[in-house]
Amino acid sequence: MSETGLGAARLLDPAAVRLDARAEGRDDAVRQCGRLLVEIGAVREEYVQSMLDRERSISTYLAEGVAIPHGTAAGKDSVLRDALAVVRFPEGADWGGQTVTLAIAIAARGDGHIAVLTELAQILLDPERARSLREATTAHDIARLLRPAEQETP
C-alpha cells in the first residue's frame, strides 16, 4: 500500500465536518466548503475563489451525489497545509444540474491532491460506500469511511 493509504482519513479534521448544511446552489456549497478549510487554518481566504474558479471551468461532481471541490493550480499558493473538509447537504444542492448531497473539499500543496483525488475516487465510485458516506451521522463515521476498505474498522 502507498504512503497515502490513509491520506484522506488522515487529512480530515473533525472541525471541518458539517453534516446538516443547506446551500443555495453550487457556488454557495463551494463557498461553505472553502470557509471550513479557512476556519481550520488549512488555506488562506483566496483559496475559496480558486475553488470557485475550478468549479466554473470544470465541474468537480463525481457521481452518486458526491462532489470533490478543490482549487486551481494557481490557488495552491494559498494552501497552508493539506486538508479535507466534508459537508453534507441532506436536502441536496444543485450542482450544475446534478444533485449533490456530499461535498468533500480538498486543499493540497504540490501534487498531493492527485493521490487524494485518486483515493477518494476509488472510495466514492463504490455505490455502497458512497451511500454510507452520504448517510454518516458523525465526523468519526466519515473518517472511518474515508479509509481504504481493507483498513476500515468499526
Side-chain angles (χ1 to χ4, degrees):
M1 169 153 336
S2 76
E3 228 176 79
T4 60
L6 282 175
R10 182 179 42 82
L11 295 177
L12 182 62
D13 180 333
V17 176
R18 296 287 182 278
L19 299 175
D20 59 354
R22 286 187 167 83
E24 294 298 318
R26 182 194 65 195
D27 287 1
D28 182 35
V30 171
R31 281 188 194 94
Q32 289 183 48
C33 291
R35 278 196 299 270
L36 280 176
L37 292 170
V38 171
E39 287 173 19
I40 64 167
V43 301
R44 290 191 293 272
E45 190 69 40
E46 312 81 80
Y47 189 72
V48 179
Q49 184 59 51
S50 172
M51 293 172 72
L52 289 165
D53 292 345
R54 158 77 64 203
E55 201 60 53
R56 290 171 183 158
S57 68
I58 259 188
S59 178
T60 61
Y61 177 80
L62 186 60
E64 299 291 331
V66 179
I68 47 175
H70 54 284
T72 62
K76 288 182 186 183
D77 292 341
S78 301
V79 176
L80 304 172
R81 65 179 172 84
D82 294 2
L84 296 179
V86 176
V87 182
R88 187 170 66 192
F89 304 98
E91 297 173 10
D94 177 23
W95 206 278
Q98 300 290 335
T99 300
V100 166
T101 54
L102 186 73
I104 302 174
I106 302 170
R109 295 169 295 169
D111 291 331
H113 70 289
I114 296 170
V116 175
L117 284 169
T118 300
E119 188 176 337
L120 288 175
Q122 289 173 348
I123 292 167
L124 297 171
L125 289 174
D126 175 337
E128 186 60 31
R129 292 195 70 192
R131 182 191 59 74
S132 294
L133 270 169
R134 288 192 310 269
E135 296 173 0
T137 57
T138 67
H140 173 77
D141 289 342
I142 296 279
R144 179 180 53 80
L145 290 162
L146 288 176
R147 290 187 190 107
E150 67 273 10
Q151 294 181 356
E152 247 188 80
T153 56

